[in-house]
Amino acid sequence: MLALSPRQPQVLLTGFAPFAGASINPSWQAVLALHGRQVAGHRIVAAQLPTVFGEALQVLEGLLQRHQPALVIAVGQAGGRAALSLERVAINVDDAPIADNAGTRPVDRPVVPGAPAAYFSGLPIKTMLTALQQAGLPAEVSQTAGTFVCNHVFFGLMHALASTPALRHTRGGFIHVPWLPEQGAPHMALDDMVRGLRIAVRCALTVPDGAPPGLAAGATH
Ligand code: PCA
């Protein structure tokens, strides 16, 4: 049997801990199902982030340093949405509608003081959209990841990729998933989420340019 090369390029998929009193978070279940899988010569590593401002980014930064992944897709739950939401833009705002899992509720605070107002996703979201729809999965481009912990992690991820020389070739972005059937409606089956994320990973590893025509991936001012 061939041993896995420690230098095999990695894909980091993160999901979140349950929050707001829930006992499950489909984002974590979906990425966990892909842990250890191989896609386009890369090995997927799944990790859970705490649904806590600040702490989530500390955990993410440790994961980035440890794995030096070629691709990072952070995944979160968006109750009320019916489709896989390919997030277009991360904004430099924490403005929590509810308390996080540590009881903190920042209002109108920057994620990173002095950083740009926003970053575009580094993922090829339009190509992903087409691929997901062709696979029969509900998918959409979303223009906002909100201002809670998901946007916080999306912004922190894009800022880390933009400002860390060792990660300058790492591609990153964010996808929201709907509720699972047991959480209410609208919902999506776990198998469909997992299938969709796998398609998204393959697209991001094989499509060269993440920016839609006319938009450069990276900071906006
Ligand atoms: N969804 C929340 C935070 C954690 C999660 O899964 C959000 O959309 O911000």
Side-chain angles (χ1 to χ4, degrees):
M1 194 177 113
L2 285 175
L4 277 181
S5 159
R7 277 168 306 186
Q8 184 182 20
Q10 306 212 335
V11 171
L12 175 64
L13 296 183
T14 64
F16 282 98
F19 65 102
S23 57
I24 55 172
N25 188 323
S27 68
W28 171 236
Q29 297 191 18
V31 301
L32 184 59
L34 288 167
H35 181 76
R37 301 274 193 93
Q38 306 278 328
V39 178
H42 292 65
R43 192 170 73 91
I44 295 177
V45 174
Q48 190 183 85
L49 302 180
T51 306
V52 176
F53 286 98
E55 206 181 309
L57 281 182
Q58 284 162 19
V59 173
L60 178 67
E61 276 156 23
L63 290 162
L64 293 175
Q65 272 177 27
R66 180 151 76 247
H67 297 289
Q68 302 277 314
L71 168 69
V72 186
I73 303 182
V75 183
Q77 161 191 302
R81 293 194 193 175
L84 296 168
S85 287
L86 310 171
E87 298 296 346
R88 191 197 290 270
V89 62
I91 62 173
N92 194 6
V93 175
D94 289 334
D95 193 24
I98 56 171
D100 67 12
N101 284 356
T104 303
R105 197 181 158 192
V107 172
D108 293 344
R109 285 217 309 251
V111 180
V112 182
Y119 288 98
F120 287 121
S121 174
L123 304 177
I125 53 173
K126 290 293 176 71
T127 311
M128 284 178 171
L129 180 66
T130 305
L132 291 166
Q133 288 172 340
Q134 280 174 353
L137 295 167
E140 64 191 4
V141 168
S142 162
Q143 315 303 342
T144 174
T147 51
F148 191 49
V149 184
C150 285
N151 173 75
H152 178 81
V153 161
F154 184 17
F155 186 90
L157 167 64
M158 299 314 297
H159 186 66
L161 300 187
S163 58
T164 311
L167 297 171
R168 69 187 178 281
H169 298 303
T170 299
R171 191 169 218 188
F174 197 98
I175 298 178
H176 265 118
V177 296
W179 278 325
L180 290 168
E182 57 264 44
Q183 293 177 283
H187 52 72
M188 182 179 279
L190 182 62
D191 281 357
D192 285 346
M193 292 180 192
V194 174
R195 194 156 61 92
L197 289 176
R198 200 183 169 101
I199 290 168
V201 167
R202 182 172 294 280
C203 264
L205 289 173
T206 54
V207 175
D209 180 20
L215 294 177
T220 66
H221 297 274

